[in-house]
Amino acid sequence: MEIRLSRPCVDDPTRYIAECNLGKKVNIAKLCDILREIGAKDLKCSVKLGVARFEHEGRSVMLYQSGRVDIRKIKNTNEAAKVMEQIISIIKDAISDISS
């Protein structure tokens, strides 16, 4: 999975927005159900728009139906990779054709 730091965050220029792609489609309806079940903070979902936004450990995460993931307030690519691992373990049932 490729992770790149795209630009500094507006509210904290020492942190970055990490852009990633799961390489698989995401079932947004199922994703939103999973995030509601775990009580994801500041959850906003739109099945129609194909996007979900929530807070995870102080970071804003946006997941798109296409498999794109944006994570705000990231220090570096290593931190982004760790956060992505956590997110994938939470949402794995909403990702199509993911191997266990």
Side-chain angles (χ1 to χ4, degrees), residues 62-79:
M62 290 190 70
L63 282 152
Y64 299 87
Q65 184 174 344
S66 65
R68 177 178 164 174
V69 182
D70 292 345
I71 310 167
R72 296 179 186 270
K73 300 181 184 173
I74 291 292
K75 291 180 191 174
N76 54 45
T77 53
N78 288 337
E79 181 182 61

Side-chain angles (χ1 to χ4, degrees), residues 14-67:
T14 66
R15 303 284 178 134
Y16 296 89
I17 298 171
E19 295 178 352
C20 318
N21 198 305
L22 298 169
K24 305 282 183 181
K25 297 269 186 196
V26 177
N27 179 326
I28 295 294
K30 193 168 191 171
L31 170 69
C32 293
D33 288 343
I34 291 167
L35 293 173
R36 279 187 203 98
E37 284 177 25
I38 66 163
K41 187 177 177 187
D42 296 329
L43 177 62
K44 292 192 167 90
C45 285
S46 175
V47 175
K48 185 177 179 181
L49 296 175
V51 64
R53 186 180 75 184
F54 63 101
E55 294 290 320
H56 177 72
E57 296 185 359
R59 297 173 189 90
S60 177
V61 178
M62 290 190 70
L63 282 152
Y64 299 87
Q65 184 174 344
S66 65

